[in-house]
Amino acid sequence: MRQHRTRTAVALAAIGGLATALTACSAPPAESGGDAAATTDFLACMVSDFGGFDDRGFNQAVLAALDTAEEKYGVETLRLESTTENDYAPNLAQSVDQGCDFTVTVGFSLAEATKAAAEQNPDSRFAIIDDSSIDLPNVKPVVFDTAQASFLAGYLAAGYSKTGTVAVFGGQPFPPVLLFMDGFSDGVDRYNADAGTQVKLLGWDKAAQDGTFAGTFTDIAAGKTLTQTFIDQGADVIMPVAGSLYLGSGEAAHEAPGDVVLVGVDNDVVELSPDLADVMLTSVMKQMADAVVELIGQAVADEFDNSPFIGELANDGVAIAPFHEYEDSVSPELAAAVDAIREQIISGEIVVESVNSP
């Protein structure tokens, strides 16, 4: 039996020779048995995307999930870090060579490499975050209908704005990014319809599927520049859907002469970056860590299947974060309206639609 321990590897470049249409929304992964006191001969692995482990986003969430799985199921884990897309194939090859029983690949940019690895190794099991393009018996898509939670964030942003202008921008125009932007746009529109206002949205035209993109998920300075541009145009609530670029947005918000707040994505940004708590209104969260922990539990229990997991409001797969330091700044009426919209989305009274939906 393997000795229970965590093993971490960096990308091949850094270590030399080491290296859908989907069906109806699924329920959250079923709770599987696990005992922190019992060690199992099971190796759970992850391959990060090019953002690396310290991305304050996807990869950190999955790293946390592996930590939890170690305690909950007694598994051993292996973490393979990528710093460029050239690292994907070698890291996946290493996961197979190391005997990984279940490998989570983090992000849609790993789709091609994950598919190739799964085809070449049909006895290995994989899950991929934020991609539903792979239809293989040994690959489980894990996707999130973030448009639903972003709808709430857009509604909140429009209701909170003092200038009547809000903004959103993306890293690159990939479907999971556009999904956030679509939902945010719809939320702003719904608030305007409900309140009889004309809050303006900068950075995204849902009908044209055209907007503002930094062209990167890692250049923090680019995030600051775009955010400053929106602030100069009057926006006082801004949602960067661009990986670590929110750090640059935070710098811009801190330097702004007026009251400028941000909406985070993927995780509760206040928990990842508490230094930004004073400018973070809320965050649109993908509950990746919870999903990955339970999927590992299913794999340990030999209950793996390739049916897609779709995180949505109804199964708590997506959500908006608490308002934290802005709890007293959001009016009770607006908070209640956001809660009511959430229930209407869950019930189907409000249908959030996007050409980018999983």
Side-chain angles (χ1 to χ4, degrees):
M1 181 175 289
R2 292 187 188 94
Q3 189 176 13
H4 178 209
R5 66 190 187 280
T6 298
R7 293 184 285 172
T8 301
V10 296
L12 182 71
I15 59 175
L18 283 178
T20 188
L22 294 176
T23 57
C25 298
S26 61
E31 187 81 19
S32 297
D35 185 345
T39 299
T40 181
D41 187 21
F42 188 97
L43 181 58
C45 307
M46 72 168 282
V47 175
S48 82
D49 73 359
F50 56 80
F53 288 158
D54 190 24
D55 67 342
R56 302 202 191 188
F58 277 32
N59 296 310
Q60 279 190 232
V62 178
L63 284 171
L66 293 187
D67 291 340
T68 301
E70 286 180 342
E71 297 302 317
K72 186 170 185 177
Y73 305 119
V75 300
E76 181 183 351
T77 62
L78 173 66
R79 299 113 187 273
L80 296 156
E81 183 175 27
S82 305
T83 56
T84 75
E85 293 184 355
N86 293 331
D87 298 326
Y88 296 165
N91 279 340
L92 279 161
Q94 188 182 351
S95 78
V96 173
D97 291 344
Q98 291 289 320
C100 294
D101 296 293
F102 182 66
T103 299
V104 180
T105 61
V106 188
F108 53 84
S109 66
L110 278 124
E112 182 177 347
T114 301
K115 181 179 180 182
E119 288 175 337
Q120 294 163 12
N121 302 279
D123 293 332
S124 297
R125 294 168 292 180
F126 301 85
I128 181 167
I129 306 291
D130 255 5
D131 179 80
S132 58
S133 67
I134 304 171
D135 184 14
L136 292 171
N138 57 336
V139 179
K140 187 175 189 74
V142 181
V143 291
F144 300 87
D145 193 355
T146 52
Q148 293 187 350
S150 291
F151 189 107
L152 303 182
Y155 195 99
L156 173 68
Y160 180 86
S161 176
K162 309 301 188 296
T163 64
T165 301
V166 301
V168 62
F169 69 89
Q172 292 177 286
F174 297 123
V177 173
L178 306 185
L179 189 60
F180 278 101
M181 299 170 81
D182 282 346
F184 193 78
S185 174
D186 284 347
V188 172
D189 288 345
R190 178 59 185 250
Y191 179 82
N192 282 334
D194 286 353
T197 53
Q198 293 183 330
V199 176
K200 183 179 180 181
L201 174 64
L202 305 176
W204 185 238
D205 181 333
K206 182 185 176 185
Q209 289 288 292
D210 183 52
T212 302
F213 297 92
T216 173
F217 293 95
T218 57
D219 184 354
I220 292 172
K224 182 175 183 178
T225 298
L226 282 178
T227 303
Q228 288 173 327
T229 299
F230 286 134
I231 292 171
D232 290 343
Q233 295 176 37
D236 63 347
V237 186
I238 301 165
M239 183 169 81
V241 191
S244 61
L245 269 63
Y246 77 85
L247 296 170
S249 297
E251 292 178 14
H254 278 147
E255 295 171 7
D259 175 24
V260 174
V261 298
L262 305 176
V263 175
V265 300
D266 293 335
N267 301 284
D268 185 343
V269 171
V270 169
E271 294 183 356
L272 291 177
S273 300
D275 55 313
L276 295 182
D278 61 332
V279 293
M280 196 61 58
L281 179 62
T282 189
S283 297
V284 178
M285 302 185 298
K286 299 176 181 179
Q287 308 286 43
M288 287 175 285
D290 292 344
V292 170
V293 168
E294 296 309 327
L295 291 174
I296 291 173
Q298 289 180 0
V300 168
D302 200 25
E303 297 170 357
F304 173 88
D305 66 71
N306 71 337
S307 60
F309 167 71
I310 306 175
E312 57 182 5
L313 289 176
N315 62 18
D316 294 322
V318 298
I320 60 170
F323 304 147
H324 294 296
E325 292 189 12
Y326 284 84
E327 189 73 37
D328 293 335
S329 300
V330 175
S331 71
E333 294 78 14
L334 178 57
V338 171
D339 286 342
I341 293 289
R342 179 183 181 276
E343 294 306 315
Q344 289 173 316
I345 293 173
I346 291 173
S347 71
E349 182 178 345
I350 294 176
V351 178
V352 183
E353 296 180 312
S354 167
V355 296
N356 300 294
S357 290

